[in-house]
Amino acid sequence: MASTEEPKFEGWVGLDKDAAKGNMVWQTYDVKPWEETDIDIKIHFGILFAKAMGADRVVAVSRRSDKRADALALGADEYIATAEDEDWATKHARTLDLIVCSISSSNMPLTEYIGLLKRDGVFVQLGLPDDGQFKVGAAPFAFGRRSLTGSLMGSPHEIREMLQLAADKGIKPWVELWPMSEANKAIVEMDAGKAKYRYVLVNNE
């Protein structure tokens, strides 16, 4: 029987100004709410790694165009805004070999996304919907000989390969730097959902 309990997230949390000195508490916390302008960490790295691995064409897909500039700056060759680009599903049909999807909503246009894949294309789902189940018919898979798979984390060997590739290719994440003296402010900003990329505290001594 599936569990009905809400998922819990645990980690080191700064509760007061002493957090800047490393005095943090391990406890449960609420995750940052998703916003339209966020660049998901998996897709952020997905673009960087795809380019580093020699992909000849990388297409970023999101609902709105807010993230277009960042996605292109990260290395994407094209950008599709599904809520704004007219006839995007038809225009880009059967043009992609692989789709890596991190959407965590059952309301995404999955059938249209599958239609973007070429024959023998693969759709990899990373996000886990918390508002229901994905709904898609069998026809897009059968007629296009496409595959649907999923992943949460690679094996230790794959992780080592990933880190080695990052080192060899000089892949660096986009981060937002905060001085350690402003750790409390950074925490407040994160709680307010203002973090666009990973916050990194820097020792300012």
Side-chain angles (χ1 to χ4, degrees):
M1 180 180 293
S3 173
T4 58
E5 294 184 2
E6 291 292 325
K8 295 181 179 179
F9 297 88
E10 296 181 314
W12 291 106
V13 178
L15 301 177
D16 52 40
K17 62 182 181 180
D18 287 335
K21 302 176 183 178
N23 297 321
M24 305 182 79
V25 178
W26 182 274
Q27 65 176 45
T28 58
Y29 62 91
D30 295 325
V31 297
K32 172 188 176 297
W34 176 259
E35 296 181 356
E36 288 285 343
T37 55
D38 288 343
I39 293 283
D40 186 271
I41 187 67
K42 294 182 286 295
I43 300 307
H44 160 198
F45 275 107
I47 295 173
L48 294 174
F49 273 91
K51 297 300 288 188
M53 295 174 71
D56 56 6
R57 178 169 169 260
V58 177
V59 181
V61 182
S62 188
R63 291 190 67 244
R64 306 287 179 186
S65 58
D66 311 63
K67 295 175 274 189
R68 185 187 303 271
D70 278 1
L72 295 178
L74 282 163
D77 299 292
E78 296 180 46
Y79 186 94
I80 301 173
T82 60
E84 300 175 10
D85 295 351
E86 187 175 353
D87 296 328
W88 63 270
T90 301
K91 179 180 178 181
H92 299 279
R94 302 181 183 87
T95 61
L96 304 177
D97 297 300
L98 171 71
I99 295 177
V100 179
C101 179
S102 66
I103 297 175
S104 298
S105 171
S106 63
N107 295 319
M108 71 169 169
L110 183 54
T111 299
E112 287 81 358
Y113 284 166
I114 298 299
L116 300 180
L117 290 169
K118 298 177 182 178
R119 183 180 178 87
D120 292 325
V122 179
F123 188 96
V124 183
Q125 180 61 33
L126 305 181
L128 301 178
D130 55 8
D131 58 354
Q133 297 181 343
F134 290 131
K135 297 179 181 179
V136 63
F141 295 100
F143 288 113
R145 211 165 68 182
R146 301 166 176 124
S147 301
L148 173 64
T149 185
S151 178
L152 287 179
M153 183 178 294
S155 67
H157 174 70
E158 290 170 327
I159 293 173
R160 284 193 293 270
E161 285 188 331
M162 177 194 71
L163 294 175
Q164 188 60 57
L165 176 66
D168 293 342
K169 298 292 186 177
I171 299 174
K172 297 180 180 180
W174 284 18
V175 298
E176 298 180 59
L177 301 179
W178 283 81
M180 189 67 73
S181 59
E182 295 185 21
N184 289 334
K185 183 178 179 181
I187 292 171
V188 172
E189 294 276 309
M190 287 190 64
D191 286 341
K194 295 182 179 180
K196 192 172 184 181
Y197 293 95
R198 286 295 191 265
Y199 277 7
V200 176
L201 296 176
V202 179
N203 192 335
N204 52 355
E205 292 183 354

